[in-house]
Amino acid sequence: MRTQVAIIGAGPAGLLLAHLLHRGGVDAVVLETRSQEYVAARIRAGILESSTVELLESAGLGERLRAEGHEHRGIYLQMPGERHHLDFVDLAGRSVWVYGQTEVQKDLVAAGTAEVHYEVTDVEPHSVDADPYVTFIDSAGTRQRLDADVIAGCDGSFGPSRAAAAPAEMYERVYPYSWLGILADVAPSTDELIYAWHPDGFALHSMRSETVSRLYLQVPNGTDPADWPDDRIWAELATRLGHGQDGWKLTPGPVTDKSVLPMRSYVQTPMRRGRLFLAGDAAHIVPPTGAKGLNLAVADVALLSTALIALLREGDSRLADSYSDDALRRVWRCTHFSWWMTTMLHTGGDPFDAQLQLSQLRWVTTSTAGATGLAENYAGLPLGF
Ligand code: FAD
Ligand code: DHB
């Protein structure tokens, strides 16, 4: 087989890249180890920055998002006894949208622009410095070779592209806590997301729709979800989110999904080796606090698609040559923001740290300068930052 861009991974980065390349007149083939149903159903991110929404719209993917997504002006930040609203539209001129990664994935599949080979195995990039190709075994069990001008590694943190892009610098921070996340069939008890600092640990009330809530609790690393029956989860969420405070109530409901997420920051540089370009989680991971992972993957792909169209249609390599540096400016900004939100909101048992966190939260919730910094980063910097 031959194509212009061999894309490894059909997550949001891989499928969006294939879609944008198709619109720009460049052929791509996507290879994915999982089934289409599995990829579409994975419960992950839920918040889109305004620049992500604008990009999806300009790529013809905004119709259902505008109809079924929910625009939020901001978030609530909470400490025991205090809940403060930060209005991103007033502070930074931008909003965010609640629209699940599952929905973005469905819209990309429905666009039908990507040629995807699902349920392939043994995917291996080769010869990335000169004449790249990818070998794999297709879903019928036949060994295949896909030759390409360029390989795009969009295969997340466990795919083979990351290692194929080495030698590289790797930067990593592992956090001493995880998130226990639930999806519940119950109307959200809040109009916008609540990020709550609490001495027992962080809690987050998010949502997916008028009838589906998404909530998270800080838990120790190594937590077994089986130790958290639904009643225990709702009781802990009620305590940390302030049920009863100023008449506010958390309404529990049937839990439909429960999982534990470890938290890690990771950046690999450069995001390119020869004819292999990395995008999304293949190059970087952020802890989820602040909802940057999916948005960063989209921002990478916005740059990479433009660079590859210029390279492959006009022979102009300037944007491809600057791709890694251009993408990394935003990657490090979001890496810092996610680390900052995470360390401000998660408790570690050290009383000195707790006082610093509370002081920082008071500053962010009472100073326009402090609130604006959070708003600008959360609602997202313009593409091209
Ligand atoms: P992925 O979505 O990981 O896609 C990579 C694809 O490559 C996958 O489909 C995988 O099956 C495929 N693949 C892997 N290996 C191979 C191989 N060898 N060959 C071919 N294909 C391969 N971000 C947020 O912003 N907010 C959140 O709330 C949030 N919650 C998350 C919860 C969880 C449990 C996880 C894991 C992540 C979460 N994230 C969140 C992060 C966000 O989902 C990711 O940043 C986003 O999915 C990145 O997209 P991607 O396409 O780069 O990688
Ligand atoms: C969600 C996840 C986040 O990490 C976050 O900061 C906000 C929302 C979510 O899954 O809805």
Side-chain angles (χ1 to χ4, degrees), residues 8-22:
I8 308 180
L15 280 193
L16 181 60
L17 179 61
H19 179 79
L20 296 174
L21 290 174
H22 176 83

Side-chain angles (χ1 to χ4, degrees), residues 97-150:
W97 284 71
V98 171
Y99 194 65
Q101 183 167 328
T102 45
E103 306 314 303
V104 174
Q105 194 84 29
K106 274 183 218 155
D107 293 344
L108 283 162
V109 170
T113 42
E115 178 188 336
V116 190
H117 296 256
Y118 288 98
E119 298 182 69
V120 303
T121 56
D122 293 23
V123 178
E124 262 188 78
H126 302 272
S127 188
V128 299
D129 291 323
D131 299 306
Y133 64 98
V134 184
T135 52
F136 63 99
I137 297 175
D138 69 19
S139 58
T142 309
R143 179 162 286 281
Q144 301 272 9
R145 170 177 163 144
L146 174 62
D147 285 276
D149 297 314
V150 161

Side-chain angles (χ1 to χ4, degrees), residues 73-77 84-95 192 363-379:
R73 290 183 67 95
I75 56 166
Y76 296 97
L77 268 183
H84 302 266
H85 188 245
L86 268 62
D87 189 312
F88 301 157
V89 179
D90 286 348
L91 291 161
R94 290 193 292 278
S95 59
E192 295 189 342
W363 178 64
V364 164
T365 51
T366 55
S367 143
T368 307
T372 305
L374 192 151
E376 203 172 86
N377 281 281
Y378 193 113

Side-chain angles (χ1 to χ4, degrees), residues 218-247:
Q218 175 188 343
V219 290
N221 284 343
T223 292
D224 181 352
D227 293 337
W228 284 84
D230 299 357
D231 288 353
R232 181 179 178 203
I233 293 176
W234 285 112
E236 195 61 32
L237 285 166
T239 303
R240 297 191 197 177
L241 289 168
H243 178 85
Q245 188 179 304
D246 298 327

Side-chain angles (χ1 to χ4, degrees), residues 44 46-47 179 193 195 204 206 208 214 216 288-291 378:
R44 288 186 167 181
I47 305 292
W179 278 11
L193 275 61
Y195 286 79
L204 170 62
S206 182
R208 288 291 177 274
R214 176 83 165 139
Y216 298 98
T289 335
Y378 193 113

Side-chain angles (χ1 to χ4, degrees), residues 268-293:
Q268 176 164 322
T269 74
M271 288 169 59
R272 171 188 187 176
R273 173 173 167 180
R275 309 288 285 183
L276 168 65
F277 295 81
L278 301 181
D281 279 17
H284 40 73
I285 302 289
V286 289
T289 335
K292 286 291 160 223

Side-chain angles (χ1 to χ4, degrees), residues 7-15 31-34 38-39 42-47 101 105 120-124 153-161 179 208 214 216 259-262 279-286 288 290-298:
I7 301 177
I8 308 180
L15 280 193
L31 304 174
E32 167 63 52
T33 43
R34 304 286 194 163
Y38 180 93
V39 174
R42 265 187 312 216
I43 309 296
R44 288 186 167 181
I47 305 292
Q101 183 167 328
Q105 194 84 29
V120 303
T121 56
D122 293 23
V123 178
E124 262 188 78
C154 301
D155 43 357
S157 46
F158 302 109
S161 298
W179 278 11
R208 288 291 177 274
R214 176 83 165 139
Y216 298 98
S259 60
V260 171
L261 282 80
D281 279 17
H284 40 73
I285 302 289
V286 289
K292 286 291 160 223
L294 171 60
N295 292 295
L296 257 190
V298 169

